[in-house]
Amino acid sequence: MLQNKKGNVEYLQSNDSFNEMALRALGFNGINIIHELVDNSVSAQSTNILVGWDKSEQFEGKRKLTIQDNGKGVHNPNEKCGTPENPERSNFAECFLTLGRTRDDYGTNEISNFGIGGTVSINELAQQGLEVHITTTDRVGRRYYGVIKKLDNGKVGVELKDYSVNSDYKSGTEVIIDGLDIKLSKEQ
């Protein structure tokens, strides 16, 4: 934070193209992306995480990644990336497209450190022209379905497709990315 002669406060700034280049320069790709998205499930206190790595039915020669968990979901009113006073405004974008968290934002049992891995991974996939489909349900039964992708203006954004509430819904998150061109060995 800088203070100029008039006493106004100015903050560090960067332009959008720099942000995109910097995120991509972090080197999140291939297996790192899968690890980061699974890490999000672990941080969500999931006790069951399913990872599917199937041949794409839509894109010849590509793969479809599905990650399903039974964690707490994204829209938990006690979470810093939530908006409990306005539940119809999904905190989807805030949770999936915001870089950085502090240690205070995480529970003591979480493996996350900086709050960038999932966001950088999703950004990288969208920059490649892929769509990241996410359905998440919190423990109250608020369910959101949204698609994160590169929008017509060239920026990565989220389109909220559906919002519903049903106390019978089970909490958890499902992430689906179709059209991946990642080569994995059996060891990975």
Side-chain angles (χ1 to χ4, degrees):
M1 179 169 63
L2 304 173
Q3 192 167 2
N4 63 23
K5 292 179 183 176
K6 293 183 181 180
N8 296 329
V9 177
E10 297 180 24
Y11 297 91
L12 178 67
Q13 298 178 20
S14 62
N15 63 47
D16 289 340
S17 61
F18 171 80
N19 291 337
E20 289 175 17
M21 290 185 307
L23 291 178
R24 296 192 86 185
L26 289 173
F28 282 74
N29 55 43
I31 193 72
N32 304 85
I33 288 173
I34 297 169
H35 286 165
E36 290 298 336
L37 295 175
V38 171
D39 279 351
N40 284 355
S41 293
V42 173
S43 291
Q45 301 170 356
S46 302
T47 58
N48 191 18
I49 303 169
L50 302 173
V51 179
W53 184 249
D54 303 305
K55 289 183 181 179
S56 173
E57 295 178 11
Q58 186 176 359
F59 302 100
E60 188 175 335
K62 309 279 181 168
R63 305 297 290 200
K64 177 180 173 183
L65 173 66
T66 304
I67 300 172
Q68 292 178 314
D69 69 47
N70 65 344
K72 59 186 173 181
V74 167
H75 198 291
N76 184 330
N78 298 318
E79 297 294 316
K80 296 235 180 189
C81 62
T83 55
E85 68 282 350
N86 187 5
E88 292 78 24
R89 180 199 166 267
S90 171
N91 62 340
F92 221 78
E94 194 169 345
C95 289
F96 290 109
L97 296 177
T98 300
L99 282 171
R101 306 261 190 267
T102 67
R103 282 305 305 155
D104 294 338
D105 292 341
Y106 295 110
T108 56
N109 295 327
E110 294 188 31
I111 59 174
S112 302
N113 285 308
F114 304 108
I116 65 168
T119 300
V120 172
S121 297
I122 288 169
N123 179 71
E124 178 61 28
L125 294 166
Q127 291 294 340
Q128 293 174 19
L130 298 171
E131 294 183 351
V132 180
H133 295 257
I134 301 173
T135 304
T136 186
T137 307
D138 68 11
R139 292 185 174 146
V140 177
R142 290 177 290 219
R143 176 176 289 169
Y144 294 92
Y145 165 57
V147 179
I148 299 174
K149 62 183 182 177
K150 194 169 194 174
L151 303 174
D152 292 339
N153 64 5
K155 296 182 180 194
V156 173
V158 62
E159 285 183 31
L160 185 62
K161 299 286 191 176
D162 188 40
Y163 169 72
S164 58
V165 180
N166 185 331
S167 60
D168 292 333
Y169 289 155
K170 302 285 186 223
S171 69
T173 300
E174 178 181 63
V175 177
I176 300 173
I177 306 135
D178 200 358
L180 288 164
D181 191 17
I182 299 173
K183 308 294 186 227
L184 297 178
S185 66
K186 288 184 179 184
E187 294 79 27
Q188 293 176 309

